[in-house]
């Protein structure tokens, strides 16, 4: 966010796999004054008014310099702020809430289509009941059937998985 460039950049978590028509995510259009993100799936923070998850963000760095400046002016304060106010638990956490609050100060927050995103853990952790619930909660027709993610899914965000790309391959083998 501190870069002095006039074109959009993408920030992507290391525990994400892009699948299917994944370039739709990278090429999703934004204009100056807009901030694009993936929407969160954890309900507990939605009840507190938050929707952004930090796995994918696209923005113009010059538009976001104020966010960078705000954070570096007092990083210790902001690293503890969302823990101390009860939004999340520590010992470290809350950067996506800082970003969302700061974006809303000056920018238009946009989200990728919900059908494009899912979370996933190590496949061995999921039984048939989990997969059924995942399919029922997916905003599209189905999420995961016959060893494949729905063709509309473009971004798989892994949680508690050390080898995410292997997990996508294993999902296809189920």
């Amino acid at each position: 966010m501190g870069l002095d460039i006039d074109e959009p950049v993408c920030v992507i978590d290391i525990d994400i796999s892009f699948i299917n028509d994944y370039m739709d995510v990278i090429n999703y259009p934004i204009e100056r004054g807009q901030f694009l993100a993936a929407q969160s799936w954890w309900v507990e923070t939605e009840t507190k008014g938050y929707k952004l998850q930090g796995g994918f963000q696209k923005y113009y760095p010059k538009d976001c310099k104020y966010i960078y400046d705000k954070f570096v002016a007092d990083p210790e304060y902001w690293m503890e702020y969302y823990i101390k106010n009860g939004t999340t638990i520590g010992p470290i956490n809350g950067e996506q809430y800082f970003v969302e609050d700061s974006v809303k100060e000056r920018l238009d927050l946009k989200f990728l289509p919900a059908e494009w995103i899912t979370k996933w853990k190590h496949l061995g952790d999921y039984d048939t009941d989990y997969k059924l619930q995942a399919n029922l909660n997916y905003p599209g027709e189905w999420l995961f059937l016959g060893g494949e993610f729905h063709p509309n899914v473009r971004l798989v965000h892994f949680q508690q998985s050390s080898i995410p790309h292997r997990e996508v391959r294993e999902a296809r083998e189920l």
Side-chain angles (χ1 to χ4, degrees):
M1 290 184 174
L3 296 174
D4 189 29
I5 60 173
D6 213 10
E7 58 189 82
V9 298
C10 293
V11 176
I12 304 166
D13 270 3
I14 196 168
D15 59 350
I16 285 180
S17 283
F18 287 105
I19 63 173
N20 299 322
D21 296 327
Y22 68 90
M23 287 304 293
D24 292 345
V25 174
I26 304 297
N27 294 324
Y28 200 90
I30 65 166
E31 298 175 10
R32 293 296 306 261
Q34 295 178 330
F35 188 101
L36 177 68
Q39 194 163 348
S40 69
W41 51 75
W42 43 92
V43 177
E44 57 273 9
T45 54
E46 280 189 32
T47 62
K48 296 178 182 181
Y50 291 100
K51 294 183 178 182
L52 184 145
Q53 60 110 327
F56 176 85
Q57 301 171 4
K58 183 176 180 180
Y59 53 83
Y60 285 84
K62 282 186 176 183
D63 290 350
C64 295
K65 180 132 177 23
Y66 74 96
I67 299 171
Y68 172 82
D69 291 343
K70 178 178 163 180
F71 181 80
V72 297
D74 198 350
E76 290 80 19
Y77 173 80
W78 291 113
M79 286 189 286
E80 297 176 353
Y81 179 81
Y82 294 93
I83 296 166
K84 286 184 177 179
N85 77 8
T87 301
T88 191
I89 56 170
I92 56 170
N93 213 341
E95 65 280 354
Q96 70 272 18
Y97 310 122
F98 170 80
V99 170
E100 183 168 349
D101 282 343
S102 298
V103 164
K104 289 178 177 178
E105 290 173 7
R106 299 186 192 174
L107 302 172
D108 177 25
L109 179 58
K110 295 176 56 173
F111 292 105
L112 292 168
E115 301 84 25
W116 290 9
I117 305 161
T118 192
K119 68 174 179 171
W120 209 252
K121 289 185 185 181
H122 185 281
L123 290 172
D125 296 339
Y126 294 139
D127 57 19
T128 304
D129 289 339
Y130 174 81
K131 291 175 188 170
L132 175 63
Q133 286 302 314
N135 283 327
L136 292 173
N137 292 325
Y138 180 65
E141 186 179 346
W142 54 272
L143 173 63
F144 187 82
L145 290 175
E148 294 284 336
F149 288 104
H150 192 282
N152 286 346
V153 176
R154 288 146 170 77
L155 185 153
V156 181
H157 195 167
F158 291 89
Q159 292 191 306
Q160 304 167 358
S161 177
S162 59
I163 310 173
H165 298 286
R166 185 186 80 203
E167 303 303 332
V168 169
R169 190 171 57 250
E170 288 176 6
R172 292 184 181 131
E173 294 169 2
L174 287 180

